[in-house]
Amino acid sequence: MDNPGFLIQNQELTEKEFHTISDYIEKNVGIKMPDAKRIMMQSRLMGRLRQLKISTFAQYIDYAFNNEQELILMIDTLTTNKTEFFRENDHFKYMTDKVLPEFAAKGKNMVKIWSAGCSSGEEPYTLAIVMQEFIRKNPGKIFNFSITGSDISTKVLDKAYNAVYDLSIVEQLPQNIKHDYFLKSSNAANPVAKIKSDLRRHVSFRRLNFMDSDFCMPEIYDIIFCRNVLIYFDKPTQERVISKFMKYLQPDGYLFLGHSETIFSMNLPLQTCAPTVYRKV
């Protein structure tokens, strides 16, 4: 718990301290932090200093770089996680209209999907809803599916695993989706909704750093979603990450990137099927 009476002696993150942390983040997480992020970094880390009762950023850096668990918490604090249900919905429509009918025509009974950079779980649960709706509307075509969500942040993975979301977010979804896949809390003082267990059983989560030499994922996937994550990496890092995805994507499997991301000029075994939708060849 933060101690409001505790005073941080040096409230300004020096240029040297900023670069010590930003260089670590870039090397170990792949995310570039330009000088313009210094105030953001300072503001976010102040909460860690107060919680730990550390009075200077220099002391915090010394503590964090000698404490693996704190390094994980520091990464959690500094990485941005923004997502929502059915974000960039064209991708889910393409899945429903093109990809899943193709899989069904090939007699594929089990579909395995990886949501890489899943944040707080809205994307993998959206994928689960899309799969469940397709199975319901196309009986006897595809019988089962599994979804793996991964992220570097333990904080957002905890939220994803718990599957509890603010009611204000869930209320924006279509009525049939809310009715079939969410349970609304009866506590008016805590307006939240939880993903129903029948859907949650298809989804699992694990921590993963895109900078790891091998992702050690448990499956080979038919579909990989990695959207609005690669934009934080430089071009060579993006290509290395996608190359590692290829090890876990089935031949003729699909990769979905964010609408502002591209594989242009990269040497990858992928062909474009639709804007930011690619197929492994």
Side-chain angles (χ1 to χ4, degrees), residues 234-248:
D234 60 26
K235 205 74 172 176
T237 305
Q238 291 176 5
E239 186 168 358
R240 285 195 298 272
V241 170
I242 298 175
S243 293
K244 285 184 276 190
F245 285 153
M246 293 303 97
K247 180 179 177 182
Y248 296 96

Side-chain angles (χ1 to χ4, degrees), residues 12-259:
E12 183 176 344
L13 185 70
T14 68
E15 185 175 352
K16 181 181 178 182
E17 291 163 349
F18 169 75
H19 285 296
T20 297
I21 297 172
S22 62
D23 289 350
Y24 174 85
I25 294 290
E26 182 174 356
K27 180 180 178 182
N28 292 277
V29 185
I31 297 175
K32 293 181 73 68
M33 288 201 156
D35 290 346
K37 298 284 188 181
R38 187 161 136 198
I39 299 301
M40 178 276 288
M41 182 186 289
Q42 174 180 298
S43 175
R44 291 189 180 184
L45 287 180
M46 274 194 181
R48 294 301 306 146
L49 268 67
R50 291 193 186 96
Q51 195 162 31
L52 295 165
K53 297 184 179 178
I54 291 175
S55 58
T56 69
F57 285 107
Q59 290 172 355
Y60 175 75
I61 289 170
D62 183 60
Y63 172 76
F65 280 71
N66 288 283
N67 185 312
E68 185 176 353
Q69 189 58 38
E70 182 58 33
L71 284 175
I72 293 173
L73 291 172
M74 183 180 78
I75 291 168
D76 285 0
T77 301
L78 295 178
T79 50
T80 301
N81 294 281
K82 180 186 177 183
T83 186
E84 60 190 34
F85 291 103
F86 291 92
R87 185 182 186 186
E88 298 183 359
N89 192 47
D90 287 353
H91 284 156
F92 303 113
K93 188 174 189 307
Y94 188 88
M95 249 184 79
T96 300
D97 294 346
K98 303 288 186 182
V99 178
L100 298 181
E102 175 193 303
F103 287 172
K106 290 180 177 179
K108 183 180 283 293
N109 292 329
M110 175 74 175
V111 174
K112 297 176 182 179
I113 306 174
W114 176 12
S115 171
C118 70
S119 189
S120 46
E122 286 89 336
E123 180 176 273
Y125 289 125
T126 298
L127 287 164
I129 292 169
V130 169
M131 289 301 306
Q132 202 79 289
E133 287 292 290
F134 181 84
I135 290 170
R136 182 176 64 82
K137 294 173 183 176
N138 299 274
K141 298 292 186 182
I142 294 173
F143 295 97
N144 204 357
F145 64 94
S146 67
I147 295 166
T148 305
S150 71
D151 203 279
I152 194 171
S153 170
T154 54
K155 182 178 180 181
V156 297
L157 286 173
D158 285 345
K159 181 172 181 180
Y161 179 79
N162 290 330
V164 176
Y165 299 95
D166 289 345
L167 195 59
S168 60
I169 297 170
V170 177
E171 286 288 13
Q172 300 172 28
L173 298 174
Q175 181 60 37
N176 66 304
I177 298 296
K178 290 185 289 186
H179 177 270
D180 291 345
Y181 302 109
F182 290 86
L183 286 174
K184 183 178 177 181
S185 170
S186 58
N187 183 359
N190 186 30
V192 296
K194 184 165 186 166
I195 303 285
K196 289 184 178 180
S197 59
D198 281 353
L199 197 70
R200 293 202 316 273
R201 68 183 177 86
H202 293 280
V203 185
S204 62
F205 296 97
R206 62 193 291 126
R207 184 175 185 270
L208 184 141
N209 184 346
F210 286 157
M211 297 303 102
D212 290 346
S213 57
D214 192 316
F215 293 157
C216 299
M217 293 299 289
E219 306 276 4
I220 305 297
Y221 297 92
D222 303 295
I223 299 170
I224 298 176
F225 269 64
C226 183
R227 305 188 305 163
N228 307 301
V229 179
L230 298 177
I231 52 173
Y232 298 106
F233 304 155
D234 60 26
K235 205 74 172 176
T237 305
Q238 291 176 5
E239 186 168 358
R240 285 195 298 272
V241 170
I242 298 175
S243 293
K244 285 184 276 190
F245 285 153
M246 293 303 97
K247 180 179 177 182
Y248 296 96
L249 185 62
Q250 295 276 15
D252 290 331
Y254 287 86
L255 172 68
F256 290 78
L257 299 181
H259 285 163

